[in-house]
Amino acid sequence: MPSNYYDIDAILAEDQVITCTSQFDFDHLGPYLNSDLMTNHVPEKTKLVLPMWAISKWLALSYVKITSLPRSYSPRFLNNLEADPSHVNLRKKSPYFFLAGRWLVSLIRKQQQRGTNMEAATELQNILLKLYTGSRFRQVLDWSMASGEALEHEDNHLTTLETKLFRAGSSSMAASMQYRYYSKQQYARPSKRQRLE
């Protein structure tokens, strides 16, 4: 769930669509929930493709049930991603991969609260944490400490969260270099001319 209501990245991450099914009949919502329906009536077990922000409250009330995860969070893709995470273009799958994944974990937990099986949400959360703090994290920090040129080439591979991390690392490195430069000048030995004056 977003920590800040006005965070544009959180708003865009919530727009990821999920396939779900209705748990009972809906009246007067047919064209809004499923554009293929010509009537206002949505029968039970109808397949719906809705954004995460729309599903959130309905899951808590058991109006809908998530039937499949988006392709970018499918077990097959996540297994491939775990094998070599630093060379996968996550931005192509979703620019908000980590933020939307965090939302997805909370939605799965809402759905599973009624049952006792919390494995899917915990497994996805562990994979996202491993991906973010593993080799991708080290690679982004290496780029940020080296120079800004790496981002120009790799910018289309980084998610928005990784891009923020890169910018924070770059500004930290610039501040560190500036501190080193000015601290050396302050404690530098005065020249003969300065000593005579």
Side-chain angles (χ1 to χ4, degrees):
M1 303 296 177
S3 57
N4 184 355
Y5 182 79
Y6 298 106
D7 184 11
I8 192 69
D9 290 334
I11 293 168
L12 292 171
E14 294 170 6
D15 208 34
Q16 175 86 35
V17 294
I18 299 176
T19 304
C20 58
T21 56
S22 59
Q23 294 297 96
F24 58 88
D25 296 348
F26 287 103
D27 285 328
H28 308 294
L29 294 175
Y32 302 109
L33 295 179
N34 190 341
S35 59
D36 295 337
L37 295 174
M38 297 300 178
T39 65
N40 285 335
H41 181 73
V42 177
E44 185 178 352
K45 304 292 183 194
T46 301
K47 180 181 173 183
L48 304 170
V49 179
L50 299 172
M52 283 194 244
W53 61 265
I55 293 175
S56 179
K57 293 293 181 189
W58 287 17
L59 266 177
L61 299 171
S62 297
Y63 289 177
V64 295
K65 182 178 181 181
I66 297 174
T67 55
S68 65
L69 299 176
R71 284 186 180 179
S72 53
Y73 300 99
S74 68
R76 182 178 177 187
F77 177 73
L78 291 175
N79 286 337
N80 292 339
L81 188 57
E82 272 189 298
D84 192 12
S86 60
H87 295 291
V88 177
N89 186 352
L90 286 180
R91 188 178 192 92
K92 187 176 180 182
K93 291 288 184 182
S94 172
Y96 302 97
F97 182 81
F98 294 106
L99 296 173
R102 193 177 73 178
W103 254 89
L104 193 56
V105 166
S106 69
L107 291 178
I108 293 170
R109 284 206 171 122
K110 276 185 185 179
Q111 179 172 310
Q112 293 175 341
Q113 276 179 344
R114 307 210 186 283
T116 57
N117 184 10
M118 294 292 274
E119 276 184 32
T122 306
E123 184 179 343
L124 180 58
Q125 183 178 16
N126 290 339
I127 289 171
L128 289 172
L129 184 62
K130 183 179 174 183
L131 291 175
Y132 187 69
T133 60
S135 60
R136 289 183 71 90
F137 179 79
R138 285 190 302 274
Q139 189 177 37
V140 170
L141 283 180
D142 284 346
W143 288 339
S144 68
M145 298 298 167
S147 70
E149 296 170 8
L151 183 65
E152 294 171 9
H153 180 275
E154 298 294 333
D155 188 30
N156 55 353
H157 293 283
L158 299 178
T159 64
T160 54
L161 199 59
E162 291 170 330
T163 304
K164 286 180 181 180
L165 175 66
F166 177 87
R167 289 188 181 128
S170 290
S171 65
S172 172
M173 189 62 182
S176 174
M177 297 294 279
Q178 190 175 24
Y179 171 77
R180 286 180 191 163
Y181 175 75
Y182 287 114
S183 65
K184 284 181 183 178
Q185 279 189 343
Q186 183 179 3
Y187 297 112
R189 198 172 208 193
S191 66
K192 284 185 179 181
R193 185 175 199 175
Q194 288 175 336
R195 278 186 270 168
L196 295 174
E197 292 174 358

